[in-house]
Amino acid sequence: MTATAKPAAGSRNLVLAAMIFAVAMTFIDQTIVSIAVPDIQRELDLSNTGVQWAVNAYLLTLAALFAYGGRLADTVGHRKVVVLGVVVFAASSLLCGLTPKGSLAQAWIVVFRAVQGAGGAIMFPAALGIVVQTFALRERGKALALFFGIAGGLTAVGPILGGYLTEWTWRAIFWVNIPVAAIALVLIAVSKPVTDHRPAPMDYRGLVLIAAGVTLSVFGFQQAEIWGWGNPGIGLAIGAGVLLLVAFVLVELRTADPLMQVRIFRNRAFRFENIVLGITMLTFIPVFFFVSEYAQIALGKSASQAGLYLLYFFLGFIIASQIGGRMLDRGGAKRPVVLGCALSAVGFWLWAGKVTDLDFSDQTWSVILAGAGMGMMLTPASTDAVNRASRVSYGEATGITQTVRNYAASLGLAVLGTISVTEFRNHLRQSLIARGVPAPQAADQAASMAQAHSSAQGGSGGSIPGFVRMDFAESTRTVLYCMAGIMAVAAVVAFLGLQAGLQAEHPEGEDAAAQRQQEPPRT
């Protein structure tokens, strides 16, 4: 295969800016919608189930279609797929903001939130594939550190931006994506990114299996906290999803042009990078939700103030991601990944010890340290995993890593959410008994209070009893200790599984040699 010539530095930076604007919408939407949920539910008269699915439909289709998006980019062309994803995302955002009142409202917003997720799923792997192909191997760590640092930081901006926009209208949280999409499309047209791709038939059988498997199991994780783990529907959904995913792997091994080259997991580095990413994602996405709740319930902050709380996490994340990217370029992935996981574990542990003080100023440095550790390891792990693919499979490799990351994040939210709710109820029950409430009544009241305060909105801290705030802080402390343990496990896995040293310039996958014998088209 003849490699595509790298563009000049100015052009590369313009391509990078275009891709950051393209994916910015997907990161903002992971958190911005949750701020407007009460206003959306009230104005559209949605049921509790309907408003829940207005949030979950986006995350579900995003997780289910990442693999398809990556394969589509590699076979059709990365630039075409990015443009398609941006247009789909922007159009569905417009339609979400135009949701009519009345009987159509619930179905309308859930459907177009799902379409938003589909647009994001096909956009992100293609965008990352363009960045990887635009920058040389020894420059990718620095470039992707900027890519993930800025894009990841926008996740924290979501609650702040959402808080201000909803003061005008909740519809603006969707419409804000339209100017961002317009800027992305202009930058793509100007920078004209050129990448390699290899036309191949789409494996629709594999697509159905992985989409159904991810959808069912992630649905089970999402509903676990609502229905309870004892509900047979949870086990049935997760079990059926896992069986479909096993069937997907078996089918892909026997398919000539599979949706996913599962044999890439035979590559030790790719396998362990994805294991580490999966373990760390048990904490990375969930921490936004738990910390936002802690800030609002235990500290009595508003939704936008809770977003500012998260900015300290991303202050550490963005700075350390630049350091981790440079460490990757100079010495390989193992050192920054191991060190980042260990630092994050220490940060979460110190953070957990401070949350019951109910004083954010005492927590600042531990929050920054936890974010710094996450930033230091995330860029090298993600970049090194994608680097293991051949040039015409970067989108596919990104689709794999993003599927692993989102699947693990859903599991983390479910398990840590259950731990949080259980701990909160137990502490409330003990507090009520200490205040003279009989044990049977205390259990019922604790369950009711936990439900009420877990759905309370920002700025309500003054009306929440002091013991409830402290009990929620206690449950948050348990969750943060769990996160510290998870990151410690990730550090051990990375230390034992990853190999030291720089990666070779031309990594060999099982199918890479055959692919390089063909001259792939350019887009």
Side-chain angles (χ1 to χ4, degrees):
M1 182 185 79
T2 303
T4 301
K6 299 296 179 187
S11 299
R12 292 201 304 268
N13 292 334
L14 196 58
V15 170
L16 179 61
M19 296 307 105
I20 289 173
F21 269 95
V23 303
M25 299 179 292
T26 68
F27 282 88
I28 293 173
D29 266 59
Q30 287 184 10
T31 53
I32 194 172
V33 175
S34 60
I35 299 301
V37 161
D39 295 306
I40 294 173
Q41 184 172 19
R42 180 173 58 254
E43 183 174 324
L44 299 181
D45 194 25
L46 301 181
S47 66
N48 289 334
T49 301
V51 76
Q52 173 198 342
W53 278 104
V55 175
N56 287 348
Y58 172 79
L59 300 174
L60 198 60
T61 53
L62 194 67
L65 295 177
F66 264 127
Y68 172 69
R71 181 63 172 167
L72 188 67
D74 288 338
T75 57
V76 173
H78 299 78
R79 193 203 310 178
K80 291 178 182 177
V81 174
V82 167
V83 170
L84 175 63
V86 170
V87 170
V88 169
F89 201 98
S92 54
S93 297
L94 173 64
L95 290 167
C96 284
L98 293 174
T99 303
K101 298 179 182 179
S103 58
L104 283 177
Q106 188 158 297
W108 181 292
I109 196 167
V110 170
V111 166
F112 287 110
R113 282 286 286 163
V115 175
Q116 261 192 318
I122 64 175
M123 178 205 310
F124 190 90
L128 190 56
I130 287 175
V131 175
V132 170
Q133 289 204 39
T134 299
F135 289 84
L137 184 64
R138 297 291 174 257
E139 299 174 334
R140 286 176 194 162
K142 180 180 177 181
L144 287 174
L146 194 60
F147 179 89
F148 284 115
I150 294 176
L154 292 172
T155 309
V157 171
I160 303 171
L161 185 61
Y164 288 114
L165 289 176
T166 50
E167 292 180 6
W168 172 40
T169 171
W170 63 263
R171 298 176 188 273
I173 66 169
F174 296 111
W175 292 338
V176 72
N177 291 324
I178 297 171
V180 177
I183 294 171
L185 291 174
V186 169
L187 288 174
I188 292 169
V190 172
S191 62
K192 295 182 174 63
V194 178
T195 60
D196 299 332
H197 72 280
R198 182 170 62 92
M202 181 58 67
D203 173 23
Y204 289 104
R205 180 174 58 176
L207 172 60
V208 170
L209 285 172
I210 192 171
V214 170
T215 298
L216 278 172
S217 47
V218 170
F219 171 79
F221 295 146
Q222 289 178 339
Q223 295 298 114
E225 188 178 337
I226 300 167
W227 294 352
W229 286 97
N231 189 303
I234 298 298
L236 185 62
I238 295 174
V242 170
L243 287 176
L244 285 170
L245 292 175
V246 171
F248 167 76
V249 171
L250 296 176
V251 167
E252 296 301 273
L253 288 171
R254 294 166 174 78
T255 302
D257 287 295
L259 182 75
M260 182 186 294
Q261 287 285 357
V262 293
R263 286 186 177 86
I264 195 174
F265 283 100
R266 292 178 180 174
N267 182 300
R268 178 187 176 93
F270 186 84
R271 181 170 67 252
F272 275 97
E273 298 288 14
N274 275 278
I275 292 172
V276 172
L277 284 169
I279 295 171
T280 57
M281 286 305 107
L282 294 171
T283 68
F284 183 60
I285 298 300
V287 73
F288 306 144
F289 294 91
F290 293 118
V291 171
S292 180
E293 284 190 331
Y294 166 79
Q296 294 180 69
I297 296 172
L299 301 183
K301 304 295 184 182
S302 68
S304 55
Q305 289 172 327
L308 289 171
Y309 186 32
L310 286 171
L311 283 181
Y312 285 93
F313 183 90
F314 274 103
L315 174 64
F317 180 94
I318 293 171
I319 294 172
S321 67
Q322 310 308 306
I323 298 172
R326 285 165 174 75
M327 291 174 70
L328 169 68
D329 290 339
R330 294 171 183 170
K334 182 170 184 175
R335 186 182 300 174
V337 172
V338 174
L339 181 59
C341 291
L343 287 176
S344 191
V346 173
F348 279 122
W349 184 269
L350 295 175
W351 190 358
K354 298 287 187 180
V355 291
T356 53
D357 295 341
L358 300 183
D359 183 357
F360 176 66
S361 61
D362 288 342
Q363 304 171 34
T364 303
W365 286 108
S366 55
V367 173
I368 293 173
L369 181 60
M374 195 68 75
M376 181 174 287
M377 62 76 48
L378 186 60
T379 295
S382 300
T383 305
D384 192 57
V386 175
N387 282 343
R388 303 294 165 171
S390 65
R391 285 186 57 80
V392 291
S393 299
Y394 288 143
E396 180 182 340
T398 302
I400 294 172
T401 58
Q402 290 302 312
T403 300
V404 169
R405 289 174 59 169
N406 278 267
Y407 196 90
S410 297
L411 176 60
L413 277 168
V415 174
L416 294 175
T418 300
I419 292 172
S420 175
V421 169
T422 302
E423 284 290 299
F424 189 27
R425 287 174 179 168
N426 288 341
H427 284 294
L428 283 172
R429 178 178 175 275
Q430 293 169 9
S431 295
L432 290 169
I433 290 174
R435 284 162 174 74
V437 179
Q441 296 178 25
D444 292 339
Q445 288 184 33
S448 176
M449 291 171 69
Q451 177 66 30
H453 290 301
S454 291
S455 60
Q457 293 306 303
S460 58
S463 62
I464 298 176
F467 77 91
V468 175
R469 297 172 62 187
M470 179 59 70
D471 289 341
F472 193 85
E474 293 276 4
S475 68
T476 303
R477 180 174 65 177
T478 301
V479 169
L480 290 173
Y481 276 135
C482 290
M483 289 180 172
I486 290 168
M487 294 307 298
V489 169
V492 172
V493 171
F495 179 77
L496 297 176
L498 299 181
Q499 296 176 331
L502 288 166
Q503 182 183 328
E505 183 69 30
H506 297 292
E508 291 283 344
E510 285 211 359
D511 62 333
Q515 289 174 344
R516 279 200 295 271
Q517 293 174 12
Q518 305 178 36
E519 176 70 24
R522 296 183 179 184
T523 58

